[in-house]
Amino acid sequence: MASDGASGSEGTVALDIWGVCVSRDIFSFYSDYCGESGRLKVGRYYKACSFMSQFCGRSGPEITQEDMGLLKAESVVLSTGIAQRAALADYNKTILGNLRESGSEWLLIDGRTDSYGLCEIAYEDRTCDYISAKSAYRFGIDEILLEKNVPHTMRRIEAEDLEDRYGQMMDGLVSFVKERYGDRVILNCAYDAEFFLDREGSSKEFLRRETADRNAFLARFNRDFWRATGCYRIESPMFQMADVFHKWGLLPVHYLEEHYRYLLSCIEAIVSGADVRRRLDDLYMDYSASFASIRSGEILSVNNSLERYSEMMSEGREEEGIGLLERMIGQGIPQAMSEMGKLYAEGIFGEKDAAEAERWMRMAMDEGYSAAAYDLFDMLWEHGGPEDCGKMLALVERPAEEGNWMAKLRLGRMYRFGKGVPKDLDKAYICMRDVAKNNRVPPIREEYFDFLYSMGDRRFHRAMADSVRVLAINGAPGCQARYGLC
């Protein structure tokens, strides 16, 4: 491992990410918990871009952002700007140059992309290009080449058949990261989980053959990269598990919420530069013990339990749901405290009790769950009176100025409807536009669409369509209905 004296500062620390969602989701977890990214900021993010691709020769024509307009099969259209840029960078082999110019101090890397294999694109002159087989948009690249009248064939190469390229890739990758980042490189040893928590909170085994194959590749990659670079290494805890309720669906690399908390804590320990080796060992043992207890059913996993609670309540199993919620509160889970506040606001225990609801939500805030402030705002927005407007503004004004998206969304509502502040549609537009730009989830995009639609201004027609188009293509009913209005 790199020396325990790695430099750190009290200000913002920027990290580039070259890997898959398992590394990027670390920061999504923090954002969901606090509504902000904290001290750590993501610089460049290259999603599912092959290492091997970047260290092979370049053969085919350049594909540009404008070429994406050649795609006709909308089911394969690149769904996010990040994915578009990543697919183009993978094919055009521009990642190394872009990372050199990023300005970030640190690199967070995981070896998962090439564990999924490559796609080889062979041209008529017998030259080849390679792109990641993990990229869901490799078929988009294929179609673009056809539309550009570039004769070619494409075939998939599995990870176990990449031996002749592995050494060249590792030598090139090691040389690059040492030259670009020095000792500020963090390897996330992300393996496929063999177990997951199901919809009942029970541990189940995946029983997937490909898990063993991928983990074999990853173990070799992690060993070779760490030995060659001397980088910081975040070990995957023992007894790790995936979660059936992960927001991106059930996969062996879609971990429990606690896993992302562990990874974030490890990164923070590394960039702080204080007793790093001992701190990483402590975190590894602490979370291994926690995961063992979760797998045995001794303690609850936060996200899995909250989702189970939500299902119970939506199905009318209130007694069972409240019992699970009380168990979470007994375990000290602050999200559960905020949920208890919502029950008091709804009058689930009798008369609605706004004071008791606020007490529970502020308790959650005191326990570090900053997002409870926005649960409190929402409760006051729905159930409060004019006398609560000042309290609502106090909850969101300063965080919104600091870039907190949860606060900015709610401040935008206040300006839109003139509740607690003078009505100002320009300010509402700025707030809601910024939130929608960085949050590709149906409720936020639908609210942004509805706001633009209510303006009755044809100048916003393109922005309305763009706000829901991809989500509509991917099957979100509310976005489909709105896209139809365009």
Side-chain angles (χ1 to χ4, degrees):
M1 181 182 289
S3 67
D4 284 357
S7 60
S9 66
E10 295 303 318
T12 297
V13 176
L15 303 94
D16 292 327
I17 298 176
W18 192 352
V20 295
C21 61
V22 68
S23 293
R24 182 62 182 86
D25 283 352
I26 299 168
F27 303 92
S28 297
F29 151 75
Y30 192 90
S31 177
D32 291 345
Y33 192 82
C34 296
E36 59 188 43
S37 56
R39 179 189 176 200
L40 302 174
K41 305 293 183 183
V42 177
R44 304 284 174 87
Y45 170 39
Y46 288 102
K47 174 184 179 181
C49 292
S50 168
F51 303 117
M52 294 191 184
S53 154
Q54 298 306 299
F55 297 100
C56 293
R58 177 86 172 83
S59 299
E62 180 183 8
I63 295 179
T64 67
Q65 192 76 40
E66 289 70 30
D67 290 328
M68 294 299 170
L70 298 172
L71 289 169
K72 293 184 174 63
E74 287 206 309
S75 62
V76 189
V77 167
L78 301 165
S79 61
T80 67
I82 290 174
Q84 289 186 21
R85 291 189 293 272
L88 292 176
D90 196 353
Y91 176 81
N92 292 324
K93 296 181 172 56
T94 58
I95 294 175
L96 305 185
N98 289 337
L99 289 178
R100 285 193 176 95
E101 299 172 357
S102 72
S104 299
E105 306 105 294
W106 291 82
L107 175 68
L108 176 63
I109 191 169
D110 65 73
R112 295 198 56 82
T113 299
D114 284 331
S115 73
Y116 300 108
L118 288 177
C119 278
E120 179 186 77
I121 303 172
Y123 304 104
E124 281 190 322
D125 62 1
R126 298 187 179 182
T127 61
C128 296
D129 275 323
Y130 297 91
I131 58 174
S132 166
K134 177 60 178 176
S135 172
Y137 314 115
R138 59 190 180 274
F139 303 112
I141 298 293
D142 186 28
E143 183 179 342
I144 288 169
L145 290 173
L146 289 173
E147 292 294 326
K148 289 171 71 73
N149 296 314
V150 179
H152 69 283
T153 59
M154 179 180 285
R155 71 182 182 97
R156 180 167 178 148
I157 308 173
E158 300 299 337
E160 58 266 27
D161 298 321
L162 295 173
E163 186 62 35
D164 59 334
R165 298 171 180 84
Y166 181 87
Q168 175 187 351
M169 175 276 293
M170 185 59 68
D171 290 345
L173 181 61
V174 168
S175 177
F176 168 74
V177 300
K178 290 173 74 172
E179 175 263 322
R180 165 61 179 87
Y181 298 95
D183 64 352
R184 295 187 173 188
V185 179
I186 303 171
L187 173 63
N188 177 11
C189 296
Y191 297 102
D192 275 18
E194 296 181 352
F195 290 83
F196 67 96
L197 284 187
D198 67 9
R199 305 188 79 87
E200 303 300 323
S202 299
S203 175
K204 296 291 175 62
E205 193 170 2
F206 270 114
L207 299 175
R208 292 187 177 190
R209 172 59 199 172
E210 59 266 31
T211 291
D213 294 336
R214 287 175 185 158
N215 284 344
F217 178 93
L218 289 164
R220 179 186 181 190
F221 177 94
N222 293 337
R223 177 199 65 193
D224 294 347
F225 183 82
W226 171 69
R227 284 180 176 173
T229 61
C231 65
Y232 293 93
R233 184 180 79 243
I234 302 178
E235 292 286 0
S236 187
M238 294 182 285
F239 315 113
Q240 66 164 347
M241 284 172 288
D243 186 358
V244 71
F245 290 114
H246 190 285
K247 65 180 179 179
W248 303 125
L250 178 62
L251 287 173
V253 75
H254 288 172
Y255 301 135
L256 298 180
E257 177 181 307
E258 289 80 0
H259 199 133
Y260 301 106
R261 185 187 294 271
Y262 161 75
L263 294 170
L264 182 65
S265 297
C266 288
I267 294 170
E268 289 176 335
I270 289 168
V271 302
S272 74
D275 195 17
V276 175
R277 188 186 303 273
R278 176 57 183 269
R279 183 66 181 136
L280 291 180
D281 286 345
D282 284 347
L283 287 166
Y284 174 78
M285 296 305 294
D286 283 346
Y287 278 87
S288 293
S290 293
F291 291 162
S293 295
I294 291 171
R295 188 178 293 188
S296 72
E298 180 182 343
I299 64 173
L300 299 170
S301 175
V302 174
N303 182 67
N304 184 274
S305 299
L306 288 170
E307 292 294 337
R308 288 165 52 211
Y309 159 76
S310 179
E311 279 196 350
M312 291 172 186
M313 299 301 285
S314 66
E315 294 169 359
R317 299 153 57 195
E318 291 185 356
E319 183 176 351
E320 188 178 357
I322 292 171
L324 179 59
L325 191 66
E326 290 174 339
R327 186 181 170 196
M328 285 188 275
I329 291 171
Q331 193 174 303
I333 296 175
Q335 294 98 315
M337 300 173 190
S338 194
E339 290 297 322
M340 182 63 79
K342 294 177 186 178
L343 295 183
Y344 277 101
E346 295 165 5
I348 200 75
F349 300 112
E351 293 293 323
K352 294 180 180 180
D353 191 335
E356 186 67 3
E358 181 172 345
R359 186 182 76 83
W360 276 101
M361 291 174 183
R362 291 197 181 276
M363 190 186 308
M365 293 165 61
D366 292 342
E367 291 296 319
Y369 182 48
S370 301
Y374 312 116
D375 291 337
L376 177 56
F377 178 99
D378 294 345
M379 188 270 289
L380 296 173
W381 179 271
E382 184 174 352
H383 302 292
E387 69 279 5
D388 293 309
C389 287
K391 190 182 295 184
M392 290 162 55
L393 185 61
L395 288 168
V396 300
E397 188 172 34
R398 182 174 177 182
E401 291 174 355
E402 295 172 350
N404 183 305
W405 72 266
M406 292 184 180
K408 190 175 288 188
L409 175 66
R410 288 160 176 83
L411 184 60
R413 292 173 186 160
M414 297 184 78
Y415 282 121
R416 177 183 177 185
F417 296 104
K419 190 170 183 177
V421 295
K423 187 173 182 177
D424 190 325
L425 296 182
D426 289 336
K427 289 183 178 179
Y429 170 69
I430 292 170
C431 287
M432 301 182 79
R433 177 199 63 192
D434 292 349
V435 172
K437 179 180 178 181
N438 295 300
N439 290 272
R440 191 176 58 91
V441 294
I444 289 176
R445 292 297 181 88
E446 290 165 10
E447 182 174 353
Y448 180 54
F449 180 100
D450 293 345
F451 169 67
L452 296 178
Y453 188 79
S454 71
M455 301 279 279
D457 191 329
R458 294 288 299 176
R459 292 176 299 172
F460 292 118
H461 186 267
R462 175 65 181 272
M464 289 164 51
D466 288 347
S467 69
V468 296
R469 172 175 168 268
V470 171
L471 289 168
I473 291 169
N474 290 337
C479 292
Q480 289 177 328
R482 287 165 175 81
Y483 193 45
L485 294 174
C486 297

